[in-house]
Amino acid sequence: KKKKKKTTNMSNTIGLFCAVAVVMALVTFIDAQTTTEAPICDAAGNLLISGMAYRGSVSTTRSGRICQKWSSDTPNKLALDFLQIFGTEAGLGDHNFCRNPDGTRDFENLSANVVWCFTTDPTVPWEFCDPCETVGSTTSMFPSFPQYDVVYEGVVGGNNNPQRFSTAFNAASILQQLTNVTLIECADACNTAPSCLGFFAFVDQITSDFMCNTLNDLGASVSTQLQSFSYARNSVTTTTTTVSTTSTTTTTTTIDDGEVVEEEMEQLTIVQSSGDDNAEEEENEQDET
């Protein structure tokens, strides 16, 4: 009798486990049928997640250009550099899907979550993508204004030569320093100042605030590590200063107390040109031997 009772208890236990397993399997099945992934786009076509977190498969840009593979160095060698620097953790790999490994922001809409890619068009290195919208938009990679031209582009997207105005942070050249304004407001501020020749718009690396400096002197170009754009008025042309040097040497021989003394006169002419302006400076150096 005792043996029979023990066998009955074991059967009941096994039956209970089986019942629990069936219930769990049923719950899992129902959950799988009713659970859907959270949407990444809203009804207005905006990306709801950070561009750096995007792992979708969109592979065309806003203008419809085909993206270049991150594992390829043709036509843009920088794509392969991005893959080696940011790696698979940033969603890069042997594919051409739009990503945002470096946290590039859209200066036309700073609050927007954006992704971008290098393009297979040699004339257009990179462009933003619109993973939530229909391909074919003519939106440019940076905002434009009728009276201003983008002269230099900073660290944005796939720009492999980030530059800015050399006077962007020169106190003597800054007319106004604006914080948390739109690009339109920055352009308007420059429009109201007759001496304003352009403006430098950038994202502060510490606060992530959008900053803008209006300038009365644009200087030349220098490299930068900021996400930025340098705008100049249409009527203003930036110049590059070049320096050339020529020299002539004249040797004269005289006799001084029976000794031959040679005097060399070297005339150094420095010609500096900047745009259409030329300046010449002559310096005479005399050496005796």
Side-chain angles (χ1 to χ4, degrees):
K1 292 182 179 180
K2 291 183 178 179
K3 185 176 181 180
K4 185 177 181 180
K5 185 176 182 180
K6 183 176 181 181
T7 303
T8 302
N9 290 339
M10 289 182 61
S11 298
N12 292 339
T13 301
I14 293 174
L16 180 61
F17 278 123
C18 290
V20 171
V22 170
V23 172
M24 291 180 64
L26 183 61
V27 170
T28 302
F29 175 78
I30 295 174
D31 185 63
Q33 299 300 313
T34 58
T35 301
T36 58
E37 294 184 1
I40 64 170
C41 301
D42 63 15
N46 299 310
L47 190 62
L48 296 176
I49 62 173
S50 166
M52 298 181 73
Y54 176 75
R55 295 296 183 268
S57 58
V58 171
S59 58
T60 52
T61 69
R62 289 177 176 175
S63 63
R65 289 181 172 86
I66 298 174
C67 294
Q68 173 185 325
K69 275 191 173 185
W70 297 96
S71 56
S72 172
D73 61 357
T74 305
N76 301 290
K77 294 182 178 180
L78 199 60
L80 188 56
D81 292 337
F82 267 70
L83 174 59
Q84 294 172 345
I85 294 171
F86 295 99
T88 56
E89 292 183 358
L92 307 185
D94 187 27
H95 60 73
N96 68 336
F97 303 146
C98 299
R99 296 288 185 263
N100 192 349
D102 59 347
T104 289
R105 300 173 70 182
D106 186 349
F107 274 48
E108 193 168 23
N109 186 0
L110 288 169
S111 62
N113 298 310
V114 293
V115 291
W116 60 273
C117 73
F118 291 98
T119 82
T120 52
D121 183 347
T123 64
V124 181
W126 72 278
E127 279 188 321
F128 284 122
C129 307
D130 278 335
C132 301
E133 295 181 359
T134 303
V135 174
S137 169
T138 57
T139 305
S140 104
M141 68 180 73
F142 45 75
S144 59
F145 301 97
Q147 67 273 47
Y148 294 96
D149 295 318
V150 176
V151 181
Y152 305 118
E153 187 178 340
V155 183
V156 286
N159 181 27
N160 62 355
N161 185 29
Q163 302 282 318
R164 65 168 173 82
F165 292 135
S166 59
T167 56
F169 298 105
N170 186 340
S173 303
I174 297 175
L175 296 172
Q176 281 185 284
Q177 289 182 306
L178 308 173
T179 304
N180 288 328
V181 293
T182 65
L183 273 174
I184 294 178
E185 290 172 332
C186 191
D188 288 343
C190 191
N191 290 336
T192 58
S195 60
C196 183
L197 301 181
F199 58 90
F200 176 67
F202 64 100
V203 176
D204 188 280
Q205 290 182 314
I206 299 176
T207 64
S208 294
D209 290 335
F210 180 69
M211 314 286 287
C212 176
N213 294 342
T214 58
L215 307 167
N216 61 14
D217 180 14
L218 305 184
S221 65
V222 295
S223 61
T224 182
Q225 294 303 312
L226 293 172
Q227 291 189 36
S228 62
F229 290 107
S230 299
Y231 286 83
R233 284 186 184 273
N234 300 143
S235 58
V236 178
T237 57
T238 56
T239 59
T240 302
T241 301
T242 59
V243 177
S244 59
T245 304
T246 60
S247 63
T248 57
T249 303
T250 303
T251 303
T252 59
T253 304
T254 60
I255 298 178
D256 185 8
D257 294 333
E259 294 184 2
V260 177
V261 178
E262 290 186 348
E263 297 179 350
E264 291 187 357
M265 179 78 73
E266 183 177 33
Q267 179 175 295
L268 182 66
T269 303
I270 300 177
V271 180
Q272 176 176 316
S273 63
S274 179
D276 297 328
D277 298 329
N278 294 323
E280 295 188 359
E281 179 181 345
E282 296 186 355
E283 179 181 339
N284 293 329
E285 296 181 355
Q286 181 173 320
D287 298 321
E288 292 185 1
T289 57

